[in-house]
Amino acid sequence: MKKLCCILLTAALVLSVAACSSQSANGSGEGGSIFTDGTSSADSFSTGNDVSSFEQDESYDEEANIQATSTPEPTEEPTPEPTPIQVTGGSDFSNGKALVTYHNLISDEWKKGIMTTDGKITPVKTEITNTNGNQCGFSEDSGYVDYIIKDNNGFNRDQFILFDSEGNVTYQTPEDSSYEVLVGGDGVYLVRQTVKSMTENEIRLGIIDKNGSWICEPAVENMLTLPSDAQEKYMDGEVFYSYHGEHVFSAYYRTYYNEGFNPADSYTMLYDADSGQHSLFGNINFVDEYNDDDDTYTSYQFSNGETIAKSEGEIYHVQHVESRFSTTMIMTDRPDGDVFYQDGVFFTGKTYGSGRNPLSSTPEGKFYNIDGSVMLDLSQYNLILAYGADNLYRYENGYAAILIFGEDSIHYLGIIDKDGQLVFDPVAVTYTMGTEVGTLSEGMVTFDPKDDGGNLLSVSGDRVKVDSDAVLIFHDGYAWDDQNSCYINTKGEVLEATLAE
């Protein structure tokens, strides 16, 4: 039995050796090895070179292998967070752009920028960061702003930059000069130059364009100055410079009696920036409204070459034709009241006098065409023309807002057309001497309602609720809200401000 088992074992070994010899004879490697180029069979599997062996492995996942061997997709870089800013001041929009002051909360800098109606702000491209000066403006396609520097003697002084609507600085006043940009708009600027030397001590005025080029060189005699025989008398008084649109500037000089604060004689010089022509008018001024908050004046604006001016008990039609100015007295039956002008139509009426209640007295006002003819008699309404309501009574696109004192001793805000008809039932308002009713602008006017409804009224009678008590004046669909330091549209929505990338 043991002999038989040995025989069988020997036969099995012979067969095994024969099988190995046959496999070696059919192998692909040189010398008949089962390894190829020194690579183990395990390495061959991992690189996927032995396809037949893969096909024999039922556990192989072809899709998983493709994913494992393919190049991974590049990951997108995360979108950087926008620079946090806070807008602290803004001008009216003009041609879809406004000049704003903003605070960069990262760098803790205050800068000027040009904002568009989508809320994007393009910084004014200057290295100067303390451009939070008092004087600045923007109109049409350019603007200006002042900033403070220290001169060679260590004193603070104003310096100015001009820039275009893209924020590019187009001109910068020299650091060692005494130039001051007074007012400007539409690409022209009134500049004052103070000249002091051993032989000179005078003020010269000139006009520059947005590139800083002189339209009119600084001079004394042919600029916005008084005649030589009046200079000494009036130069000690106050001088207010204004831009009236259509390249017209003015200087309004006034003095006071020594014994009181009643204004004495005054002069207004009108100047055409394009030609250098100027005209002097005595005791006539072009001031529409005085602003107590910042000691500035709002001036009557030229439109199609004409505007109005006033003096004590007189109203004038002013024309600007071929660089010349002329005035014609307008004859009305009420020349001694306050005058409000816009779009070729003016309103005049007395506010109130001694012993009269400004909250209930009527000015018996009328609207006039610029030639003095009565356009509209509003004597059927008990109108209020006291402080806070003196921004009304101006027509815009065929509509005007008026404040009425009703027979029920309630104040009402109404909208009238050019026929004097109320467009809809007036809205009851809360009105006191401390309440200010807004100006009609782009068909909207703000007010303080007696009910819980909207405080922004449209000429169609619609009301919008705005979370602000500020007087909103709209330009290009947006108004600056100085209470919340933001722009608001006519729907009451806040314009979100971001820096343009």
Side-chain angles (χ1 to χ4, degrees), residues 194-380:
T194 303
V195 180
K196 291 185 178 182
S197 67
M198 184 180 70
T199 59
E200 294 178 305
N201 184 8
E202 60 188 15
I203 294 176
R204 301 172 181 175
L205 297 172
I207 304 290
I208 60 175
D209 63 18
K210 64 182 180 181
N211 297 315
S213 301
W214 291 106
I215 299 175
C216 298
E217 294 281 347
V220 175
E221 295 298 332
N222 66 337
M223 295 301 298
L224 297 180
T225 54
L226 295 170
S228 57
D229 60 347
Q231 287 185 20
E232 182 177 354
K233 180 179 179 181
Y234 291 99
M235 287 303 287
D236 291 333
E238 295 178 306
V239 183
F240 298 93
Y241 299 98
S242 299
Y243 179 65
H244 299 266
E246 299 186 351
H247 288 201
V248 176
F249 292 99
S250 75
Y252 171 49
Y253 301 80
R254 68 177 185 180
T255 58
Y256 293 97
Y257 293 115
N258 292 330
E259 63 272 14
F261 291 96
N262 294 320
D265 294 337
S266 65
Y267 280 110
T268 296
M269 183 80 78
L270 289 184
Y271 185 80
D272 178 86
D274 297 323
S275 67
Q277 298 293 330
H278 60 281
S279 300
L280 180 67
F281 302 93
N283 293 324
I284 298 177
N285 70 74
F286 296 77
V287 172
D288 184 8
E289 182 185 4
Y290 176 71
N291 189 339
D292 291 304
D293 295 334
D294 55 6
D295 195 31
T296 59
Y297 281 92
T298 301
S299 57
Y300 294 119
Q301 297 293 295
F302 275 89
S303 176
N304 297 320
E306 59 183 5
T307 188
I308 64 169
K310 60 186 179 182
S311 67
E312 189 66 30
E314 296 175 338
I315 304 172
Y316 291 88
H317 177 205
V318 183
Q319 292 180 290
H320 178 212
V321 181
E322 295 180 352
S323 303
R324 300 283 182 175
F325 299 97
S326 63
T327 59
T328 304
M329 184 183 296
I330 301 174
M331 304 301 296
T332 70
D333 55 358
R334 184 175 290 277
D336 56 345
D338 295 315
V339 181
F340 308 98
Y341 172 78
Q342 187 167 309
D343 288 353
V345 176
F346 67 92
F347 174 91
T348 181
K350 271 193 169 298
T351 51
Y352 58 92
S354 177
R356 300 176 65 193
N357 185 350
L359 302 181
S360 60
S361 60
T362 172
E364 298 176 355
K366 297 178 181 179
F367 281 98
Y368 297 86
N369 297 307
I370 203 164
D371 61 2
S373 60
V374 176
M375 189 199 83
L376 190 59
D377 187 347
L378 299 178
S379 58
Q380 70 269 34

Side-chain angles (χ1 to χ4, degrees), residues 342-343 394-400 417-418 440-443 459:
Q342 187 167 309
D343 288 353
R394 291 175 172 86
Y395 268 96
E396 182 201 58
N397 297 326
Y399 296 97
D417 58 22
K418 283 203 170 182
L440 183 65
S441 58
E442 297 192 354
V459 294

